[in-house]
């Protein structure tokens, strides 16, 4: 099973930028659809973005501010976050699912998860 490790979280002022990375431990990464979810205290886990081979999908709350990308040669998926807002504060998780399935925004469809990285946006 693919092991995922996130990095790049931190504290940033509103309007600033962060780039999150998620690196997989196995070569099967290229056969997976990847996604980012986030969870704030007291809230349910929320879909952020997903990427397959040619398709990208974003939550409305981050559209035009966040960009998801992947580098299969490095077994890594990225989330470039710009114009960050305080409401973006959350633990961000990357997740993987089989490319035989459709790309979805439902967390139960993803069976591999990273440990999460904290993003805090101050005002």
């Amino acid at each position: 099973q693919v092991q995922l490790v996130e990095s790049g979280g931190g504290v940033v002022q509103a309007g600033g930028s962060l780039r999150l990375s998620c690196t997989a431990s196995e070569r099967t990464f290229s056969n997976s659809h990847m996604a980012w979810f986030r969870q704030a205290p007291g809230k349910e886990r929320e879909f952020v973005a997903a990427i397959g081979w040619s398709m990208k999908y974003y939550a409305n709350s981050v559209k035009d501010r966040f960009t998801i990308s992947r580098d299969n040669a490095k077994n890594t998926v990225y989330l470039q976050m710009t114009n960050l807002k305080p409401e973006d504060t959350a633990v961000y998780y990357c997740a993987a699912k089989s490319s035989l399935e459709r790309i979805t925004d439902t967390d139960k469809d993803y069976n591999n998860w990273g440990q999460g990285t904290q993003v805090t946006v101050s005002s």
Side-chain angles (χ1 to χ4, degrees):
Q1 191 172 26
V2 177
Q3 181 178 345
L4 306 175
V5 180
E6 302 100 331
S7 63
V11 180
V12 65
Q13 288 282 330
S17 300
L18 284 173
R19 188 194 192 205
L20 306 183
S21 299
C22 176
T23 300
S25 63
E26 299 182 6
R27 289 168 287 180
T28 53
F29 172 84
S30 61
N31 296 324
S32 299
H33 292 159
M34 304 297 299
W36 289 93
F37 292 80
R38 66 188 183 186
Q39 187 168 27
K43 298 183 65 177
E44 297 291 330
R45 189 160 47 193
E46 176 188 30
F47 172 79
V48 177
I51 184 170
W53 282 93
S54 62
M55 182 178 296
K56 298 179 180 180
Y57 180 40
Y58 297 95
N60 288 333
S61 60
V62 306
K63 190 179 301 181
D64 300 323
R65 298 190 298 118
F66 292 8
T67 302
I68 189 170
S69 62
R70 64 191 296 164
D71 186 339
N72 289 335
K74 297 181 178 179
N75 292 342
T76 300
V77 62
Y78 304 96
L79 186 68
Q80 178 67 52
M81 306 184 294
T82 62
N83 193 24
L84 283 161
K85 304 175 180 180
E87 53 263 42
D88 295 319
T89 295
V91 177
Y92 283 70
Y93 300 90
C94 67
K97 69 190 299 289
S98 172
S99 62
L100 297 176
E101 306 288 341
R102 292 180 177 180
I103 299 176
T104 73
D105 60 1
T106 304
D107 56 1
K108 69 177 183 180
D109 293 332
Y110 292 81
N111 61 343
N112 290 292
W113 293 84
Q115 83 288 350
T117 185
Q118 176 70 47
V119 172
T120 301
V121 184
S122 61
S123 59

